[in-house]
């Protein structure tokens, strides 16, 4: 089978704050910025992975979501209960310092995990948990 990941979605409540984090702090490139019916979607990706994209979308962007569903999503986002993504990096400690110095919400300092990676964790400006892992040198 020829199956590859193309896009993943992260709910954000403020695209400009999210862009300042994902683009300016993490160094992802903006690939698309679209407004439609009062909503906005921003697509970003790593220059190292031209075929993989993260789409920043409003909570409850599904057109079939009821007003109650949209409200529930917004509340879960505000509580930091929605999951984000896991990134890899060549230098977990340097990335940690960069994000921490930018004012990132630290969840975990760089830690050597018993399952063989070194990782750290932050919340993005919307409260999504992001992990950054460094694989051991081979």
């Amino acid at each position: 089978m020829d199956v590859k990941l193309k896009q993943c979605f992260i709910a954000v409540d403020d695209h400009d704050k999210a862009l300042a984090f994902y683009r300016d702090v993490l160094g992802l490139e903006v690939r698309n910025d679209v407004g439609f019916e009062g909503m906005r979607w921003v697509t970003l990706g790593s220059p190292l992975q031209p075929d993989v994209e993260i789409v920043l979308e409003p909570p409850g962007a599904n057109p079939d979501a009821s007003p109650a569903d949209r409200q529930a999503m917004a509340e879960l986002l505000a509580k930091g209960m929605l999951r984000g993504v896991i990134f890899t990096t060549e230098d977990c400690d340097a990335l940690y310092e960069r994000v921490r110095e930018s004012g990132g919400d630290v969840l975990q300092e760089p830690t050597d995990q018993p399952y063989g990676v070194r990782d750290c964790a932050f919340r993005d400006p919307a409260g999504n948990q992001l992990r950054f892992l460094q694989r051991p040198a081979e």
Side-chain angles (χ1 to χ4, degrees), residues 39 58-73:
M39 290 187 269
N62 183 329
D64 297 324
S66 69
D69 290 341
R70 283 187 170 82
Q71 180 63 32
M73 289 289 294

Side-chain angles (χ1 to χ4, degrees), residues 108-109 111-120 131:
Q108 175 198 305
E109 295 180 2
T111 304
D112 291 322
Q113 300 293 352
Y115 42 88
V117 301
R118 182 167 181 77
D119 70 356
C120 61
R131 300 194 72 79

Side-chain angles (χ1 to χ4, degrees), residues 15-26 125:
H15 282 83
D16 293 326
K17 285 182 183 176
L19 272 172
F21 179 77
Y22 287 96
R23 179 193 59 212
D24 302 338
V25 177
L26 296 184

Side-chain angles (χ1 to χ4, degrees), residues 4-8 31 43-44 50-55:
K4 297 180 184 178
L5 176 66
K6 174 62 178 160
Q7 294 178 323
C8 64
R31 297 190 180 152
T43 305
L44 303 118
D51 293 338
V52 179
E53 300 172 330
I54 296 171
V55 181

Side-chain angles (χ1 to χ4, degrees), residues 4-129:
K4 297 180 184 178
L5 176 66
K6 174 62 178 160
Q7 294 178 323
C8 64
F9 293 80
I10 296 178
V12 299
D13 55 359
D14 184 321
H15 282 83
D16 293 326
K17 285 182 183 176
L19 272 172
F21 179 77
Y22 287 96
R23 179 193 59 212
D24 302 338
V25 177
L26 296 184
L28 300 181
E29 59 187 18
V30 175
R31 297 190 180 152
N32 209 354
D33 192 337
V34 177
F36 181 71
E37 295 186 3
M39 290 187 269
R40 182 179 180 194
W41 288 264
V42 177
T43 305
L44 303 118
S46 167
L48 302 173
Q49 290 180 296
D51 293 338
V52 179
E53 300 172 330
I54 296 171
V55 181
L56 305 177
E57 68 174 356
N62 183 329
D64 297 324
S66 69
D69 290 341
R70 283 187 170 82
Q71 180 63 32
M73 289 289 294
E75 290 173 5
L76 289 170
L77 180 62
K79 292 179 181 180
M81 297 300 293
L82 300 181
R83 299 293 300 211
V85 296
I86 299 175
F87 294 90
T88 61
T89 180
E90 295 293 318
D91 189 340
C92 181
D93 294 271
L95 183 131
Y96 170 82
E97 286 303 320
R98 179 181 172 109
V99 176
R100 186 188 60 77
E101 288 172 4
S102 78
D105 182 10
V106 176
L107 294 176
Q108 175 198 305
E109 295 180 2
T111 304
D112 291 322
Q113 300 293 352
Y115 42 88
V117 301
R118 182 167 181 77
D119 70 356
C120 61
F122 293 88
R123 290 206 187 279
D124 74 3
N128 296 296
Q129 183 184 110

